[in-house]
Amino acid sequence: MPNDVTAVIQRRARELLSSGQVVMLLGYRPGRSSAQPAFITRPEDASLLVFDQSCGPNLAAFLPKVKHLGRIGVVAKGCDSRSIVLLLQEHQLRREDVFILGVGCNGVLQDSRLSDSCQTCQFPNPVIYDELIGEPAAASGQLKAAGGQQSADSGQRWQWFKNEVSRCIRCYACRQVCPSCYCPICFVDTTMPSWVGRTTRLSDNMLFHIIRALHMAGRCVECGACSRACPMAIDLMSLNRKVSQIVKERFGHIAGLRAEEKPPLTVFDPDDRQEFII
Amino acid sequence: MKAKGERRKTAGGMRKGSRRSAVGGQRKAVSSERSAPRILTRAEFDRLIDELVAKCAVYAPVAVEETGKLEFRRIGSSSEVKLEGLADVGVVGQLGLRPKELLFPQCEVLFHFSPSEPGRMVEPEPPQEQVLFGVRPCDGAAVAFLDRFFSGRSDSSAPSDIYYRARRERTTLVGLACNRPADTCFCRAVGGSPSGTTGLDLLLTDLSDGFLAEPVTEKGAALVADMPVASQADMEKKQRLAENAGQAITTTIDTASLKRRLDRTLVSEGSGPADAVWQALSLPCVNCGVCTFLCPTCRCFDVTDEEFRGRGRRMRVWDSCQFTLYSRHASGHNPRATPHSRFRNRVMDKFSYTVAMVGELSCVGCGRCISACPNGIDIRETVETLLKMLPE
């Protein structure tokens, strides 16, 4: 029997599609191992939709790819909704492009355990929505230190970083599942010039991951999709958390909370601290 | 310049017929007098591993601390090898990037050069002799496919890609039959078996009180030539395990019908009703390279030159048909510019293109792409839909 949230999502999807308010409902359907993104266009297919703790993928990543079809209905957990805010802030999406079915989230599972990013989630409820489905969820009280690189010793932090990224096979799953990574051509895919070597040797891997992390500064909503997607179990979230923490300290900014704000690294403010400029 | 073809001195010169001569030996099908299955106790197994460790690189699945997954790692002693439990695929999961990566490394230096000395190339040392323990039958089948693919001709088993061949000739594959397949396993649907021997030199079956060792090639036979011959009871036990494992895999795929249906879409790529099917199927796909890099038969590579401080090297590096750069022409034109056309290419490669090229499917049913896909795409469902939606 579908749980309450699933039942409401199915009903609302059917209504929104039937009335023509949306052309597609982006939600989740059960897969053989974990839930899969579902792209529902016919009201009669709404019964395929589910919502439970296996619904990990951040659906906001698909919005720029399907928005040309018309208005899209989308099921959004807290982190997904923050990604939508980020896409609005960066003009990748207009508010009228989406109808947001917000859901409170109790965390998603990875290998039957609560995903790392969900253990420290401070925003389990949607920050933007057209409708809220079900009960709001409680934020995690746990604040997790940013992994091995939190060590005071820079040598240890560097060792941690090298150790993690040495496993990278450059499949770019972290980039592809990330809603913040929407560039039509990524810096690693340019050949003239070739900014990053294509090998998996440590120097190439480090460069890719350093640039990826910096491009996430003030833009990562900490949904954890990258960490869950990584086939080599690289602790990308620790790196992201560290960058988020620095942005919060320096600029007082938390990514993807208010559509009218701008990520601090995309704008110039004469009052920014500039003590590093000699 | 070093001759690439130069044979490395391996463990040759050993007594013929001893297990030592297995290393570096020929991959000839085992002769009937040496094909008798043997029994390996744990103690014998350890002795065999330690003997091999002393003279060549030995790899076996090891639980990697950082990832919590099993990966083939080079081992230094028999105490590091735990084949027990490995036959239960459902519990221990799939075996990462290797063995493919040990035969076809993700990054391989082809030669070194120096811009100040035009025409001079230095090739790397030939690869080391290696023995892999605990290879799954699906991965053995994948190596057999790679052998045919890299041979360049469908009528020859001799690989002609010199880099692949150099490693392959120095590799011995000791398989381990899967007693309990995982729910992502579907080897039987694509012509394999959880106790298949294709591509392997020796197949072990975990009988829980020891291993049954069935020689497939002379190389494999030599490893266990001085072990006791298995009894009828051992053989019957193995038979039961193999039957149970086979029955656990229930997926079936009509691969002949699938190929006919796929081939009808060859002329209509990018348009028509078939294109709509591909579009719908590919929606959850984000075109990352997880499935192709983990796939034991995906073998695309790019060649890249690197130069630093007057020293250069030419390398080949894995590439993936899921990446935009893969098919982009120098002009900027990309014949496979859309995400769904890249999704389509992978499926076409597995079930149509390689059948035409080398006469074999390039899917061995290992299930890595299913369990690793970040968006839960299941190739079995994809194929099921294609069989339903594409006309024959």
Side-chain angles (χ1 to χ4, degrees), chain A residues 266-278:
Chain A
T266 66
V267 289
F268 173 74
D269 182 345
D271 295 330
D272 282 344
R273 280 160 61 193
Q274 297 177 9
E275 80 285 359
F276 56 91
I277 300 174
I278 303 166

Side-chain angles (χ1 to χ4, degrees), chain B residues 12-336:
Chain B
M14 306 284 177
R15 280 174 297 131
K16 199 170 172 100
S18 83
R19 71 166 61 132
R20 289 177 178 85
S21 67
V23 178
Q26 289 292 304
R27 275 200 88 249
K28 279 198 309 241
V30 65
S31 60
S32 57
E33 65 266 28
R34 280 154 65 88
S35 66
R38 310 278 168 162
I39 280 291
L40 262 163
T41 60
R42 177 74 215 199
E44 275 293 330
F45 180 78
D46 287 352
R47 198 161 62 81
L48 172 63
I49 298 244
D50 288 329
E51 274 183 37
L52 288 168
V53 163
K55 58 177 187 261
C56 65
V58 177
Y59 292 87
V62 172
V64 178
E65 198 188 327
E66 294 97 332
T67 64
K69 289 176 183 160
L70 283 171
E71 288 268 0
F72 278 91
R73 286 284 160 99
R74 186 161 179 185
I75 52 144
S77 125
S78 57
S79 59
E80 297 168 38
V81 185
K82 286 190 180 54
L83 290 190
E84 288 81 5
L86 203 63
D88 195 341
V89 189
V91 171
V92 298
Q94 290 127 355
L95 301 173
L97 302 176
R98 295 165 164 185
K100 173 173 87 169
E101 200 232 344
L102 288 169
L103 288 160
F104 172 48
Q106 181 158 15
C107 303
E108 184 168 31
V109 176
L110 305 183
F111 55 82
H112 300 269
F113 61 88
S114 164
S116 59
E117 296 173 88
R120 190 178 125 85
M121 298 182 297
V122 180
E123 293 187 324
E125 290 286 307
Q128 214 183 349
E129 195 69 43
Q130 57 184 3
V131 183
L132 277 61
F133 278 89
V135 177
R136 297 245 159 89
C138 53
D139 285 342
V143 172
F145 167 81
L146 292 177
D147 288 348
R148 292 189 74 165
F149 183 84
F150 283 121
S151 77
R153 295 201 312 271
S154 61
D155 58 347
S156 163
S157 61
S160 65
D161 180 295
I162 56 169
Y163 308 102
Y164 178 82
R165 186 174 64 197
R167 286 195 161 73
R168 181 63 172 120
E169 281 176 350
R170 293 166 176 84
T171 302
T172 306
L173 299 178
V174 179
L176 178 69
C178 303
N179 289 346
R180 273 182 293 275
D183 58 6
T184 48
C185 291
F186 62 106
C187 57
R188 285 183 68 212
V190 285
S193 154
S195 53
T197 58
T198 313
L200 301 173
D201 295 292
L202 183 71
L203 177 71
L204 303 180
T205 304
D206 188 349
L207 302 179
S208 60
D209 52 352
F211 294 100
L212 182 83
E214 296 167 273
V216 185
T217 65
E218 284 294 325
K219 253 182 169 179
L223 286 175
V224 292
D226 50 5
M227 309 289 177
V229 173
S231 69
Q232 190 59 34
D234 294 329
M235 292 302 291
E236 281 165 11
K237 191 169 179 187
K238 184 244 142 135
Q239 202 56 40
R240 272 198 307 280
L241 286 168
E243 274 166 24
N244 288 342
Q247 280 163 12
I249 298 172
T250 51
T251 308
T252 55
I253 300 172
D254 186 345
T255 53
S257 167
L258 178 62
K259 181 171 186 300
R260 285 195 294 274
R261 288 166 202 262
L262 293 175
D263 288 351
R264 283 171 62 105
T265 72
L266 283 172
V267 285
S268 64
E269 177 170 5
S271 62
D275 202 58
V277 175
W278 289 112
Q279 281 202 33
L281 277 173
S282 70
L283 278 170
C285 174
V286 291
N287 295 116
C288 70
V290 168
C291 51
T292 52
F293 281 180
L294 292 186
C295 177
T297 67
C298 271
R299 67 247 159 240
C300 287
F301 59 84
D302 193 7
V303 175
T304 175
D305 284 356
E306 288 189 349
E307 195 209 317
F308 185 63
R309 291 185 179 157
R311 288 185 311 175
R313 58 181 148 202
R314 173 159 296 177
M315 310 184 72
R316 72 170 174 188
V317 184
W318 287 356
D319 202 352
S320 168
C321 60
Q322 301 305 302
F323 299 161
T324 40
L325 205 52
Y326 177 88
S327 51
R328 196 164 77 205
H329 294 183
S331 66
H333 170 66
N334 193 340
R336 224 176 274 140

Side-chain angles (χ1 to χ4, degrees), chain B residues 353-365:
Chain B
Y353 297 157
T354 59
V355 181
M357 273 191 284
V358 297
E360 279 181 40
L361 297 172
S362 47
C363 175
V364 295

Side-chain angles (χ1 to χ4, degrees), chain A residues 32 36-37 39 57 62 65 163 167 169-173 176-177 189 198-201 204 229 231-233, chain B residues 66-67 69 106-107 283-284 286-290 293 302 306 313 315 317 319 323 325 328 375-376 378 380:
Chain A
R32 269 182 166 137
Q36 235 187 54
F39 305 79
F62 294 96
K65 295 174 202 167
N163 196 33
R167 294 198 294 279
I169 58 170
R170 304 284 286 280
C171 66
Y172 303 127
Q176 296 303 95
V177 298
D189 287 335
R198 302 193 69 195
T199 78
T200 48
R201 281 170 315 129
D204 288 339
M232 305 309 286
Chain B
E66 294 97 332
T67 64
K69 289 176 183 160
Q106 181 158 15
C107 303
L283 278 170
V286 291
N287 295 116
C288 70
V290 168
F293 281 180
D302 193 7
E306 288 189 349
R313 58 181 148 202
M315 310 184 72
V317 184
D319 202 352
F323 299 161
L325 205 52
R328 196 164 77 205
N375 286 331
D378 188 327
R380 294 168 299 187

Side-chain angles (χ1 to χ4, degrees), chain A residues 10 13-18 22-25 39-49, chain B residues 389:
Chain A
Q10 289 182 357
R14 209 173 290 122
E15 290 164 1
L16 289 166
L17 286 164
S18 306
V22 301
V23 293
M24 176 185 274
L25 199 294
F39 305 79
I40 307 293
T41 52
R42 302 185 305 176
E44 60 268 35
D45 292 337
S47 55
L48 295 172
L49 292 165
Chain B
M389 303 295 284

